Amino acid sequence: MTHSDAPDLVDWGTAATAATSAVFTAAIALTPAEPEFFDVAFTAVTQPCPWPKAYGGDLVAPAAAAAMRSVTDGKTLHSMHSYFLRPADIGAEVRYEVELLRDGRGYSTRQVRGYQGGKPVYACLAGFAAGEPGETFITGFNLDVPDPEELPTSAEYLASRSGGSMTEQSKAYWSSGRSFDMRHVPGPVYLAVDGERLPHQAVWVKPFDPLRSVVGLTDAQRDLAALAYVCDYTILEPVLRVLNRPWAEPGLVTASLDHAMWFHRPGPVGDWMLYLQEAVAAESGRGLGTGRFFTRDRRHLATVAQEGMIRPAAQ
């Protein structure tokens, strides 16, 4: 299918070889559509990945973009609260319908629902704020982590490794097909839990190349969508780490259930960001993880909480 405002669907295999951020910007490229249920509508196409269904951030970020495009008075996205209702097909159109719930002087609220094949696959509420003078508090942390340049890239880490359920496609995708360079502390959980089984980890995150402009969004709005997109890749990893279950464990099935995100202040999304993550709970086949994005100089940008299904193979 063709997007009038958007690039064609990105072949992630080609993008992986080139290691570009084009997969992300293609994911949030929206085409205006006639609304069927609410006030404003857009369509987007989920980007290819080597799993049966679309990546969760590939629903959150386009929904954020749709909500932001419906707010025309300059307010900034400050929070999103999402539910993943059904798995979304890869390489297929999702229709994002936006309901204009409230437009006040200081705050606005939007509801967004994503439909695929006539059924809702995603829903969220998004809040926007005009901003006003106020005091500032930025949380600190004592975690001493190495600089990203001291850590191996995912491609370097996986180059000589194999095993589990990892295929050449998933190896290429983990290495360089996700638009962002991600470097783990103490180590990844791709094939095995590298490092101690502690309920926390850090991930350095940076786009592979400068983010492209996106029709209908300012660069600042695109950068907020970038945080919403990339946060889901690793937010459940601290839970997997403490449970000693790597991504490539045969038969392991995971899925995002719900998601909340708060955007505190703007920052340089194009530079290295430190994503600190913690496992909060694991029970009854579900795990809850939290995360905080910091700039390289430790300026707190955003906070994330997400619950996911973690289903090991039947014993």
Short mmCIF file of all heavy atoms in Angstrom, two decimals, residues 173-232:
data_model
loop_
_atom_site.label_atom_id
_atom_site.label_comp_id
_atom_site.label_asym_id
_atom_site.label_seq_id
_atom_site.Cartn_x
_atom_site.Cartn_y
_atom_site.Cartn_z
N TYR A 173 18.35 -8.37 12.87
CA TYR A 173 17.44 -7.38 13.44
C TYR A 173 17.97 -6.84 14.76
O TYR A 173 18.00 -5.63 14.99
CB TYR A 173 16.06 -8.02 13.62
CG TYR A 173 14.98 -7.06 14.04
CD1 TYR A 173 14.46 -6.14 13.13
CD2 TYR A 173 14.45 -7.09 15.32
CE1 TYR A 173 13.45 -5.27 13.50
CE2 TYR A 173 13.43 -6.24 15.70
CZ TYR A 173 12.93 -5.32 14.79
OH TYR A 173 11.93 -4.47 15.16
N TRP A 174 18.39 -7.73 15.65
CA TRP A 174 18.97 -7.30 16.91
C TRP A 174 20.24 -6.48 16.69
O TRP A 174 20.52 -5.54 17.44
CB TRP A 174 19.32 -8.51 17.78
CG TRP A 174 18.16 -9.13 18.49
CD1 TRP A 174 17.02 -8.51 18.90
CD2 TRP A 174 18.05 -10.50 18.89
NE1 TRP A 174 16.19 -9.41 19.54
CE2 TRP A 174 16.81 -10.63 19.54
CE3 TRP A 174 18.87 -11.60 18.76
CZ2 TRP A 174 16.37 -11.84 20.07
CZ3 TRP A 174 18.44 -12.82 19.28
CH2 TRP A 174 17.20 -12.94 19.93
N SER A 175 21.00 -6.83 15.67
CA SER A 175 22.28 -6.17 15.44
C SER A 175 22.11 -4.74 14.97
O SER A 175 22.75 -3.82 15.49
CB SER A 175 23.10 -6.95 14.41
OG SER A 175 23.46 -8.23 14.90
N SER A 176 21.25 -4.53 13.98
CA SER A 176 21.20 -3.18 13.40
C SER A 176 19.91 -2.88 12.66
O SER A 176 19.87 -1.92 11.88
CB SER A 176 22.38 -2.99 12.44
OG SER A 176 22.46 -4.04 11.51
N GLY A 177 18.85 -3.62 12.92
CA GLY A 177 17.60 -3.41 12.20
C GLY A 177 16.53 -2.66 12.95
O GLY A 177 15.40 -2.58 12.49
N ARG A 178 16.89 -2.08 14.12
CA ARG A 178 15.85 -1.48 14.96
C ARG A 178 15.94 0.05 15.02
O ARG A 178 15.33 0.66 15.90
CB ARG A 178 15.93 -2.07 16.37
CG ARG A 178 15.71 -3.58 16.39
CD ARG A 178 15.71 -4.15 17.79
NE ARG A 178 17.03 -4.12 18.41
CZ ARG A 178 17.30 -4.57 19.63
NH1 ARG A 178 16.32 -5.09 20.36
NH2 ARG A 178 18.52 -4.54 20.12
N SER A 179 16.70 0.65 14.13
CA SER A 179 16.86 2.11 14.02
C SER A 179 17.76 2.72 15.09
O SER A 179 18.24 3.83 14.92
CB SER A 179 15.50 2.83 14.05
OG SER A 179 14.83 2.70 12.83
N PHE A 180 17.99 2.01 16.20
CA PHE A 180 18.76 2.56 17.29
C PHE A 180 19.89 1.61 17.70
O PHE A 180 19.70 0.41 17.78
CB PHE A 180 17.86 2.81 18.51
CG PHE A 180 16.83 3.88 18.30
CD1 PHE A 180 15.63 3.60 17.68
CD2 PHE A 180 17.08 5.19 18.72
CE1 PHE A 180 14.68 4.59 17.46
CE2 PHE A 180 16.14 6.19 18.52
CZ PHE A 180 14.94 5.89 17.88
N ASP A 181 21.05 2.20 17.94
CA ASP A 181 22.19 1.48 18.52
C ASP A 181 21.91 1.32 20.01
O ASP A 181 21.66 2.30 20.71
CB ASP A 181 23.45 2.32 18.28
CG ASP A 181 24.74 1.59 18.63
OD1 ASP A 181 24.66 0.54 19.30
OD2 ASP A 181 25.81 2.09 18.27
N MET A 182 21.95 0.08 20.52
CA MET A 182 21.67 -0.19 21.92
C MET A 182 22.80 -1.01 22.53
O MET A 182 23.13 -2.08 22.03
CB MET A 182 20.33 -0.93 22.06
CG MET A 182 19.13 -0.04 21.79
SD MET A 182 17.54 -0.90 21.78
CE MET A 182 17.36 -1.22 20.02
N ARG A 183 23.40 -0.49 23.59
CA ARG A 183 24.55 -1.11 24.22
C ARG A 183 24.25 -1.33 25.71
O ARG A 183 23.96 -0.38 26.43
CB ARG A 183 25.80 -0.25 24.02
CG ARG A 183 26.03 0.07 22.54
CD ARG A 183 27.32 0.80 22.28
NE ARG A 183 27.44 1.16 20.87
CZ ARG A 183 28.53 1.65 20.30
NH1 ARG A 183 29.63 1.83 21.04
NH2 ARG A 183 28.54 1.96 19.03
N HIS A 184 24.33 -2.59 26.14
CA HIS A 184 23.83 -3.01 27.45
C HIS A 184 24.90 -2.99 28.54
O HIS A 184 26.06 -3.29 28.29
CB HIS A 184 23.29 -4.44 27.36
CG HIS A 184 22.00 -4.57 26.62
ND1 HIS A 184 21.89 -4.39 25.27
CD2 HIS A 184 20.75 -4.89 27.06
CE1 HIS A 184 20.64 -4.59 24.89
NE2 HIS A 184 19.93 -4.88 25.95
N VAL A 185 24.45 -2.67 29.74
CA VAL A 185 25.23 -2.81 30.97
C VAL A 185 24.38 -3.59 31.97
O VAL A 185 23.26 -3.18 32.28
CB VAL A 185 25.58 -1.43 31.57
CG1 VAL A 185 26.41 -1.59 32.84
CG2 VAL A 185 26.30 -0.54 30.56
N PRO A 186 24.81 -4.77 32.44
CA PRO A 186 26.14 -5.36 32.28
C PRO A 186 26.34 -6.08 30.95
O PRO A 186 27.47 -6.30 30.54
CB PRO A 186 26.21 -6.35 33.44
CG PRO A 186 24.81 -6.77 33.66
CD PRO A 186 23.98 -5.56 33.40
N GLY A 187 25.28 -6.49 30.28
CA GLY A 187 25.40 -7.19 29.01
C GLY A 187 24.01 -7.54 28.51
O GLY A 187 23.04 -7.51 29.26
N PRO A 188 23.88 -7.91 27.22
CA PRO A 188 22.57 -8.20 26.66
C PRO A 188 21.96 -9.48 27.21
O PRO A 188 22.61 -10.28 27.90
CB PRO A 188 22.86 -8.35 25.16
CG PRO A 188 24.19 -7.72 24.94
CD PRO A 188 24.94 -7.94 26.21
N VAL A 189 20.69 -9.70 26.89
CA VAL A 189 19.99 -10.94 27.25
C VAL A 189 19.45 -11.59 25.98
O VAL A 189 18.38 -12.20 25.99
CB VAL A 189 18.85 -10.68 28.27
CG1 VAL A 189 19.41 -10.20 29.58
CG2 VAL A 189 17.83 -9.68 27.73
N TYR A 190 20.19 -11.48 24.89
CA TYR A 190 19.74 -12.05 23.63
C TYR A 190 19.74 -13.57 23.66
O TYR A 190 18.70 -14.22 23.46
CB TYR A 190 20.64 -11.58 22.48
CG TYR A 190 20.64 -10.10 22.24
CD1 TYR A 190 21.84 -9.40 22.15
CD2 TYR A 190 19.45 -9.39 22.07
CE1 TYR A 190 21.86 -8.03 21.91
CE2 TYR A 190 19.45 -8.03 21.85
CZ TYR A 190 20.66 -7.36 21.77
OH TYR A 190 20.68 -6.00 21.54
N LEU A 191 20.91 -14.18 23.89
CA LEU A 191 21.06 -15.63 23.85
C LEU A 191 21.19 -16.24 25.23
O LEU A 191 20.84 -17.40 25.44
CB LEU A 191 22.29 -16.00 23.03
CG LEU A 191 22.24 -15.57 21.56
CD1 LEU A 191 23.60 -15.72 20.92
CD2 LEU A 191 21.19 -16.37 20.83
N ALA A 192 21.70 -15.48 26.15
CA ALA A 192 21.85 -15.88 27.55
C ALA A 192 21.85 -14.61 28.37
O ALA A 192 22.05 -13.51 27.83
CB ALA A 192 23.15 -16.67 27.77
N VAL A 193 21.60 -14.73 29.65
CA VAL A 193 21.65 -13.56 30.52
C VAL A 193 23.10 -13.26 30.82
O VAL A 193 23.76 -13.97 31.58
CB VAL A 193 20.84 -13.80 31.81
CG1 VAL A 193 21.01 -12.63 32.77
CG2 VAL A 193 19.37 -14.00 31.47
N ASP A 194 23.62 -12.22 30.18
CA ASP A 194 25.02 -11.84 30.32
C ASP A 194 25.15 -10.92 31.54
O ASP A 194 24.61 -9.82 31.55
CB ASP A 194 25.48 -11.12 29.06
CG ASP A 194 26.98 -10.93 29.01
OD1 ASP A 194 27.61 -10.92 30.08
OD2 ASP A 194 27.52 -10.77 27.90
N GLY A 195 25.82 -11.38 32.56
CA GLY A 195 25.95 -10.62 33.79
C GLY A 195 25.11 -11.22 34.89
O GLY A 195 24.46 -12.26 34.72
N GLU A 196 25.12 -10.56 36.04
CA GLU A 196 24.40 -11.09 37.20
C GLU A 196 22.89 -11.04 36.99
O GLU A 196 22.38 -10.20 36.25
CB GLU A 196 24.77 -10.28 38.45
CG GLU A 196 26.22 -10.41 38.87
CD GLU A 196 26.47 -9.63 40.15
OE1 GLU A 196 26.09 -10.13 41.23
OE2 GLU A 196 27.05 -8.53 40.07
N ARG A 197 22.20 -11.93 37.69
CA ARG A 197 20.74 -11.96 37.63
C ARG A 197 20.16 -10.94 38.61
O ARG A 197 19.44 -11.26 39.54
CB ARG A 197 20.23 -13.37 37.93
CG ARG A 197 20.49 -14.38 36.84
CD ARG A 197 19.98 -15.76 37.23
NE ARG A 197 18.58 -15.76 37.61
CZ ARG A 197 17.92 -16.82 38.06
NH1 ARG A 197 18.55 -17.97 38.21
NH2 ARG A 197 16.65 -16.74 38.38
N LEU A 198 20.47 -9.69 38.35
CA LEU A 198 19.96 -8.59 39.17
C LEU A 198 18.75 -7.97 38.49
O LEU A 198 18.66 -7.97 37.26
CB LEU A 198 21.06 -7.54 39.36
CG LEU A 198 22.33 -8.01 40.09
CD1 LEU A 198 23.38 -6.91 40.07
CD2 LEU A 198 21.99 -8.42 41.51
N PRO A 199 17.82 -7.39 39.26
CA PRO A 199 16.59 -6.85 38.67
C PRO A 199 16.76 -5.45 38.09
O PRO A 199 15.84 -4.63 38.18
CB PRO A 199 15.62 -6.86 39.85
CG PRO A 199 16.48 -6.63 41.04
CD PRO A 199 17.77 -7.35 40.75
N HIS A 200 17.90 -5.17 37.51
CA HIS A 200 18.07 -3.86 36.89
C HIS A 200 19.18 -3.94 35.84
O HIS A 200 20.02 -4.85 35.86
CB HIS A 200 18.40 -2.78 37.92
CG HIS A 200 19.56 -3.12 38.81
ND1 HIS A 200 20.89 -3.07 38.40
CD2 HIS A 200 19.60 -3.53 40.11
CE1 HIS A 200 21.68 -3.40 39.38
NE2 HIS A 200 20.93 -3.70 40.44
N GLN A 201 19.14 -3.00 34.92
CA GLN A 201 20.17 -2.90 33.90
C GLN A 201 20.15 -1.48 33.34
O GLN A 201 19.24 -0.69 33.63
CB GLN A 201 19.98 -3.90 32.77
CG GLN A 201 18.76 -3.64 31.90
CD GLN A 201 18.67 -4.60 30.70
OE1 GLN A 201 19.26 -5.67 30.67
NE2 GLN A 201 17.92 -4.19 29.69
N ALA A 202 21.16 -1.16 32.55
CA ALA A 202 21.20 0.12 31.83
C ALA A 202 21.45 -0.17 30.36
O ALA A 202 22.13 -1.13 30.01
CB ALA A 202 22.30 1.01 32.40
N VAL A 203 20.88 0.67 29.50
CA VAL A 203 21.08 0.54 28.06
C VAL A 203 21.38 1.93 27.50
O VAL A 203 20.60 2.87 27.71
CB VAL A 203 19.84 -0.04 27.36
CG1 VAL A 203 20.12 -0.22 25.87
CG2 VAL A 203 19.42 -1.36 27.98
N TRP A 204 22.52 2.07 26.83
CA TRP A 204 22.80 3.28 26.08
C TRP A 204 22.06 3.20 24.75
O TRP A 204 22.10 2.16 24.07
CB TRP A 204 24.29 3.43 25.83
CG TRP A 204 25.09 3.87 27.01
CD1 TRP A 204 25.91 3.11 27.80
CD2 TRP A 204 25.19 5.21 27.53
NE1 TRP A 204 26.50 3.87 28.78
CE2 TRP A 204 26.07 5.17 28.64
CE3 TRP A 204 24.60 6.43 27.18
CZ2 TRP A 204 26.38 6.30 29.38
CZ3 TRP A 204 24.92 7.56 27.91
CH2 TRP A 204 25.80 7.49 29.00
N VAL A 205 21.39 4.29 24.36
CA VAL A 205 20.54 4.29 23.16
C VAL A 205 20.87 5.53 22.32
O VAL A 205 20.98 6.64 22.85
CB VAL A 205 19.05 4.34 23.56
CG1 VAL A 205 18.17 4.36 22.30
CG2 VAL A 205 18.68 3.16 24.44
N LYS A 206 20.99 5.30 21.01
CA LYS A 206 21.24 6.42 20.09
C LYS A 206 20.79 6.02 18.69
O LYS A 206 21.01 4.88 18.27
CB LYS A 206 22.73 6.76 20.06
CG LYS A 206 23.11 7.92 19.16
CD LYS A 206 24.63 8.11 19.14
CE LYS A 206 25.05 9.22 18.21
NZ LYS A 206 26.52 9.38 18.17
N PRO A 207 20.13 6.91 17.92
CA PRO A 207 19.79 6.56 16.54
C PRO A 207 21.05 6.25 15.73
O PRO A 207 22.11 6.85 15.96
CB PRO A 207 19.11 7.83 16.01
CG PRO A 207 18.68 8.58 17.21
CD PRO A 207 19.67 8.26 18.29
N PHE A 208 20.93 5.33 14.79
CA PHE A 208 22.09 4.97 13.98
C PHE A 208 22.60 6.15 13.15
O PHE A 208 23.79 6.25 12.86
CB PHE A 208 21.76 3.80 13.05
CG PHE A 208 21.77 2.47 13.74
CD1 PHE A 208 20.65 1.66 13.75
CD2 PHE A 208 22.91 2.01 14.40
CE1 PHE A 208 20.66 0.43 14.39
CE2 PHE A 208 22.93 0.78 15.03
CZ PHE A 208 21.79 -0.02 15.03
N ASP A 209 21.68 7.01 12.73
CA ASP A 209 22.08 8.21 12.01
C ASP A 209 21.06 9.30 12.34
O ASP A 209 20.05 9.03 13.01
CB ASP A 209 22.19 7.94 10.50
CG ASP A 209 20.89 7.46 9.87
OD1 ASP A 209 19.86 7.38 10.59
OD2 ASP A 209 20.88 7.17 8.67
N PRO A 210 21.30 10.55 11.94
CA PRO A 210 20.37 11.62 12.29
C PRO A 210 18.94 11.31 11.85
O PRO A 210 18.71 10.82 10.74
CB PRO A 210 20.93 12.84 11.54
CG PRO A 210 22.40 12.55 11.42
CD PRO A 210 22.49 11.06 11.23
N LEU A 211 17.99 11.57 12.75
CA LEU A 211 16.60 11.28 12.45
C LEU A 211 16.10 12.16 11.31
O LEU A 211 16.36 13.37 11.27
CB LEU A 211 15.73 11.51 13.69
CG LEU A 211 16.00 10.59 14.87
CD1 LEU A 211 15.10 10.96 16.05
CD2 LEU A 211 15.78 9.13 14.49
N ARG A 212 15.36 11.56 10.39
CA ARG A 212 14.82 12.27 9.25
C ARG A 212 13.61 13.11 9.65
O ARG A 212 12.93 12.79 10.63
CB ARG A 212 14.42 11.26 8.16
CG ARG A 212 15.60 10.54 7.57
CD ARG A 212 15.24 9.11 7.16
NE ARG A 212 16.41 8.42 6.63
CZ ARG A 212 17.39 7.89 7.39
NH1 ARG A 212 17.34 7.98 8.71
NH2 ARG A 212 18.41 7.28 6.84
N SER A 213 13.32 14.13 8.88
CA SER A 213 12.11 14.91 9.11
C SER A 213 10.89 14.04 8.79
O SER A 213 10.95 13.15 7.93
CB SER A 213 12.10 16.16 8.22
OG SER A 213 13.17 17.02 8.57
N VAL A 214 9.80 14.31 9.49
CA VAL A 214 8.56 13.56 9.30
C VAL A 214 7.45 14.55 9.00
O VAL A 214 7.24 15.51 9.75
CB VAL A 214 8.21 12.73 10.54
CG1 VAL A 214 6.88 12.00 10.35
CG2 VAL A 214 9.32 11.72 10.84
N VAL A 215 6.73 14.33 7.91
CA VAL A 215 5.66 15.23 7.51
C VAL A 215 4.62 15.33 8.62
O VAL A 215 4.19 14.32 9.18
CB VAL A 215 5.00 14.73 6.20
CG1 VAL A 215 3.74 15.54 5.88
CG2 VAL A 215 5.98 14.80 5.04
N GLY A 216 4.22 16.56 8.95
CA GLY A 216 3.18 16.78 9.95
C GLY A 216 3.67 16.93 11.36
O GLY A 216 2.88 17.27 12.25
N LEU A 217 4.97 16.66 11.62
CA LEU A 217 5.52 16.75 12.97
C LEU A 217 6.69 17.73 12.98
O LEU A 217 7.48 17.78 12.03
CB LEU A 217 6.03 15.40 13.45
CG LEU A 217 5.02 14.26 13.61
CD1 LEU A 217 5.74 12.99 14.06
CD2 LEU A 217 3.92 14.61 14.61
N THR A 218 6.81 18.49 14.05
CA THR A 218 8.03 19.25 14.26
C THR A 218 9.14 18.28 14.67
O THR A 218 8.87 17.13 15.05
CB THR A 218 7.84 20.30 15.35
OG1 THR A 218 7.64 19.63 16.61
CG2 THR A 218 6.66 21.21 15.05
N ASP A 219 10.37 18.72 14.63
CA ASP A 219 11.46 17.86 15.06
C ASP A 219 11.32 17.50 16.53
O ASP A 219 11.63 16.37 16.94
CB ASP A 219 12.81 18.53 14.82
CG ASP A 219 13.18 18.57 13.34
OD1 ASP A 219 12.47 17.95 12.52
OD2 ASP A 219 14.19 19.24 13.00
N ALA A 220 10.82 18.44 17.35
CA ALA A 220 10.63 18.16 18.77
C ALA A 220 9.56 17.08 18.97
O ALA A 220 9.70 16.19 19.82
CB ALA A 220 10.24 19.43 19.52
N GLN A 221 8.49 17.13 18.19
CA GLN A 221 7.45 16.10 18.28
C GLN A 221 7.97 14.76 17.80
O GLN A 221 7.69 13.71 18.39
CB GLN A 221 6.23 16.53 17.46
CG GLN A 221 5.47 17.70 18.05
CD GLN A 221 4.37 18.19 17.13
OE1 GLN A 221 4.51 18.18 15.90
NE2 GLN A 221 3.28 18.64 17.72
N ARG A 222 8.74 14.77 16.73
CA ARG A 222 9.35 13.52 16.24
C ARG A 222 10.24 12.90 17.31
O ARG A 222 10.25 11.67 17.48
CB ARG A 222 10.16 13.83 14.99
CG ARG A 222 10.95 12.66 14.41
CD ARG A 222 12.17 13.14 13.66
NE ARG A 222 13.07 13.91 14.52
CZ ARG A 222 13.98 14.76 14.05
NH1 ARG A 222 14.12 14.96 12.75
NH2 ARG A 222 14.78 15.41 14.91
N ASP A 223 10.97 13.73 18.04
CA ASP A 223 11.86 13.21 19.08
C ASP A 223 11.08 12.58 20.23
O ASP A 223 11.51 11.58 20.81
CB ASP A 223 12.77 14.32 19.59
CG ASP A 223 13.82 14.74 18.57
OD1 ASP A 223 13.92 14.08 17.51
OD2 ASP A 223 14.54 15.72 18.83
N LEU A 224 9.92 13.15 20.59
CA LEU A 224 9.08 12.53 21.61
C LEU A 224 8.59 11.17 21.12
O LEU A 224 8.57 10.19 21.87
CB LEU A 224 7.89 13.43 21.94
CG LEU A 224 8.20 14.74 22.67
CD1 LEU A 224 6.92 15.55 22.86
CD2 LEU A 224 8.86 14.48 24.02
N ALA A 225 8.19 11.11 19.85
CA ALA A 225 7.77 9.82 19.28
C ALA A 225 8.90 8.82 19.27
O ALA A 225 8.69 7.61 19.43
CB ALA A 225 7.21 10.03 17.87
N ALA A 226 10.14 9.30 19.09
CA ALA A 226 11.30 8.40 19.10
C ALA A 226 11.46 7.74 20.46
O ALA A 226 11.74 6.53 20.55
CB ALA A 226 12.56 9.17 18.73
N LEU A 227 11.28 8.50 21.54
CA LEU A 227 11.34 7.90 22.88
C LEU A 227 10.25 6.87 23.05
O LEU A 227 10.47 5.78 23.61
CB LEU A 227 11.22 8.99 23.94
CG LEU A 227 12.40 9.94 24.10
CD1 LEU A 227 12.07 11.01 25.14
CD2 LEU A 227 13.67 9.20 24.49
N ALA A 228 9.04 7.19 22.60
CA ALA A 228 7.92 6.25 22.72
C ALA A 228 8.17 4.99 21.90
O ALA A 228 7.74 3.90 22.28
CB ALA A 228 6.62 6.93 22.26
N TYR A 229 8.86 5.13 20.79
CA TYR A 229 9.14 3.99 19.92
C TYR A 229 10.19 3.07 20.52
O TYR A 229 10.00 1.85 20.60
CB TYR A 229 9.61 4.50 18.56
CG TYR A 229 9.85 3.42 17.53
CD1 TYR A 229 8.80 2.93 16.75
CD2 TYR A 229 11.13 2.91 17.31
CE1 TYR A 229 9.02 1.95 15.80
CE2 TYR A 229 11.36 1.93 16.36
CZ TYR A 229 10.30 1.45 15.61
OH TYR A 229 10.53 0.47 14.66
N VAL A 230 11.32 3.62 20.93
CA VAL A 230 12.46 2.79 21.32
C VAL A 230 12.31 2.19 22.72
O VAL A 230 12.92 1.17 23.03
CB VAL A 230 13.77 3.60 21.22
CG1 VAL A 230 13.90 4.61 22.35
CG2 VAL A 230 14.98 2.68 21.16
N CYS A 231 11.47 2.78 23.57
CA CYS A 231 11.43 2.35 24.97
C CYS A 231 10.98 0.91 25.15
O CYS A 231 11.37 0.23 26.10
CB CYS A 231 10.54 3.29 25.78
SG CYS A 231 8.78 3.14 25.45
N ASP A 232 10.17 0.41 24.23
CA ASP A 232 9.57 -0.92 24.39
C ASP A 232 10.53 -2.06 24.07
O ASP A 232 10.30 -3.20 24.47
CB ASP A 232 8.31 -1.01 23.52
CG ASP A 232 7.49 -2.27 23.78
OD1 ASP A 232 7.64 -2.86 24.86
OD2 ASP A 232 6.70 -2.66 22.90
#
